[in-house]
């Protein structure tokens, strides 16, 4: 008779700090595995606390609560399959990122994370102590080695586990999304499989936390680099995976493989799920935003409608004398297509009052940017008043291009609690709108069809703070601006390298100056979902005061 082993994989969404709720979710997954006859149920890295906790994990009362919950979970899950779950562990004064393995009412193994990532969005080297590489543990007939997340990005931990008797590698992860990261994960895990000749289970969590979203996409590889299981990105799901022992060792029984969504869908899903979780995990049920008739606010309204339903989204048009008739019409068209409420509040009375109050001090000066920014700040004031009055969180609508060069008004259109477009360049905003018009998925709560009119997508972008204003009056055309920014920000290229790629050096220098000069604004902007490897905030930590310029 062929020897077999069933492993239940739980790709779930924990909440940071919700220790009891996370434990209950783990217990429910364990019960599902028990009903399915599993030998073990596996959850992800630091599941009991949620991830990432940042410095909260350093608070003794917090990690004591988490450890107590894990110890209780071991008792609660005594009569059934083993349970693997991530959480903290303390020895003396040292805090570890650990993977707890429980069976029969006891903790039978604690695997300590060895490689602590300390780059991009990770600061684990200042939070945890690096653990020694430990050997495999036995559950029933199978010896399992567990490299925790980053441990599998290096060859030494997996190699040690294979040399000390591991028959399968189970890799629990808290791996946040960025565009096309799945391909990088697979390439690294393929390398581990080739090196060790062992099956590998890559188990990742889903759900958002602050600026990051964990996209799941868990998968299983057999030796020979056969894909045996592929879980869908972003979806909470539990899958039961059977292993059989043959002449070459344990192998996962292949399941039907569903195709993965493309990068446009994954980016859009990330924006929707990130906003949904940011609100839901914060106890917020409704949002509002300024709907200008432009493309950015139209996309934010669409993301919000898809995240929490159009009935929970209030759009507000705040026209001035410079607001065009087509902007009024386009805002109404977007709100109508989505099914969102649309309120209109003219800022003209408030602008006249502010102008009158400032007139004695502004006398003899030429109108310019200060007067334009008053309009934006009045809109921010009115939107925040509505937010405070009705308990609806204000969404801000600036894209990454604008955030990069400071083309936004502090305390004005930058006001708000969250920005879904913060890491999306303007050129991608256009294409994302077209993608959403052409596609609808079950996870979208907004309506099907072309919810963003073509005129909104096609018209020249304008802040409409003065007569006949266009964004290109102040900035290079967005295809040029974004291409330069991608080289300066994502590529970390020098001015000369960017110029050598075919861009006018004076334009590159202007963009560089705007980029460095806007750092103080970015320090004060709302959080937003990370879509790239160089999102503004943790991925790119620049000083506010910085006199250096490339080649100056």
């Amino acid at each position: 008779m062929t020897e077999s082993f069933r492993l239940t994989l739980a790709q779930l969404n924990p909440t940071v700090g919700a220790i009891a709720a996370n434990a209950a979710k783990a217990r429910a997954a364990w019960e599902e595995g028990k009903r399915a006859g599993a030998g073990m149920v596996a959850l992800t890295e630091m599941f009991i606390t949620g991830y990432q906790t940042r410095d909260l994990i350093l608070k003794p009362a917090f990690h004591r609560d988490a450890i107590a919950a894990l110890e209780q979970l071991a008792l609660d899950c005594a009569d059934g399959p083993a349970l693997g779950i991530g959480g903290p562990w303390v020895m003396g004064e040292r805090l570890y990122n650990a993977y707890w393995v429980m069976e029969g009412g006891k903790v039978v193994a604690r695997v300590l994370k060895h490689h602590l990532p300390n780059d991009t969005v990770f600061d684990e080297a200042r939070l945890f102590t690096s653990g020694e590489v430990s050997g495999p543990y036995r559950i029933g007939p199978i010896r399992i080695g567990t490299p925790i997340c980053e441990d599998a990005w290096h060859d030494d931990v997996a190699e040690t586990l294979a040399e000390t008797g591991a028959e399968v590698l189970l890799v629990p992860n808290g791996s946040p999304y960025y565009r096309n990261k799945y391909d990088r994960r697979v390439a690294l895990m393929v390398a581990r499989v080739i090196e060790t000749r062992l099956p590998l289970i890559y188990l990742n969590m889903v759900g958002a936390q602050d600026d990051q979203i964990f996209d799941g996409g868990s998968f299983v590889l057999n030796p020979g680099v056969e894909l045996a299981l592929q879980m869908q990105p972003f979806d909470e799901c539990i899958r039961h995976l059977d292993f059989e022992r043959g002449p070459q060792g344990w192998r996962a029984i292949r399941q039907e493989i569903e195709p993965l969504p493309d990068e446009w869908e994954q980016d859009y899903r990330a924006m929707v799920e990130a906003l949904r979780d940011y609100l839901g995990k914060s106890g917020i049920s409704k949002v509002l935003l300024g709907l200008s008739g432009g493309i950015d606010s139209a996309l934010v309204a669409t993301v919000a409608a898809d995240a929490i339903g159009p009935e929970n989204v209030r759009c507000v048009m705040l026209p001035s004398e410079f607001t065009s008739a087509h902007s009024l019409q386009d805002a109404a068209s977007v709100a109508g297509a989505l099914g969102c409420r649309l309120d209109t509040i003219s800022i003209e009375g408030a602008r006249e009052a502010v102008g009158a109050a400032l007139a004695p001090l502004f006398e003899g000066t030429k109108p310019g940017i200060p007067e334009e920014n008053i309009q934006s700040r009045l809109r921010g004031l009115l939107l925040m008043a509505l937010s405070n009055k009705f308990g609806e969180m204000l969404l801000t609508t600036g894209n990454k291009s604008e955030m990069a060069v400071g083309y936004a008004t502090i305390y004005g259109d930058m006001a708000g609690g969250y920005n879904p477009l913060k890491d999306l360049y303007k050129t991608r905003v256009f294409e994302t709108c077209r993608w959403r018009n052409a596609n609808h998925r079950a996870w979208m709560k907004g309506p099907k069809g072309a919810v963003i009119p073509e005129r909104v997508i096609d018209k020249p972008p304008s802040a409409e703070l003065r007569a006949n204003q266009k964004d290109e009056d102040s900035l290079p055309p967005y295809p040029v601006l974004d291409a330069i920014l991608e080289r300066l920000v994502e590529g970390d290229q020098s001015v000369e390298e960017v110029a050598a790629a075919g861009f006018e050096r004076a334009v590159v220098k202007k963009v560089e100056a705007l980029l460095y000069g806007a750092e103080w604004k970015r320090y004060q902007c709302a959080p937003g979902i990370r879509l790239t490897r160089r999102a503004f905030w943790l991925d790119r930590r620049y000083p506010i005061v910085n006199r250096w310029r490339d080649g100056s």
Side-chain angles (χ1 to χ4, degrees), residues 28-97:
W30 175 83
E31 289 174 343
E32 189 166 333
K34 181 180 178 179
R35 288 191 296 271
M40 180 178 178
V41 176
L43 291 107
T44 49
E45 178 182 15
M46 293 298 287
F47 187 88
I48 197 68
T49 59
Y51 195 66
Q52 295 192 63
T53 57
R54 307 197 192 282
D55 285 6
L56 177 60
I57 197 66
L58 298 176
K59 194 172 186 67
F62 178 69
H63 61 241
R64 282 197 301 266
D65 280 355
I67 289 170
L70 289 165
E71 291 169 342
Q72 185 60 50
L73 201 56
L75 298 174
D76 294 342
C77 298
D79 183 22
L83 177 66
I85 180 170
W89 175 238
V90 175
M91 287 192 292
E93 295 184 354
R94 295 180 176 179
L95 178 65
Y96 296 90
N97 179 332

Side-chain angles (χ1 to χ4, degrees), residues 25 44 112 117 152 154 157 199 213 282 288 349 356 359 504 516 525 549:
K25 187 169 279 197
T44 49
L112 307 180
H154 305 267
V157 176
I213 187 162
S282 301
L288 80 155
E504 186 179 342
Y516 288 144
C525 69
R549 296 294 183 268

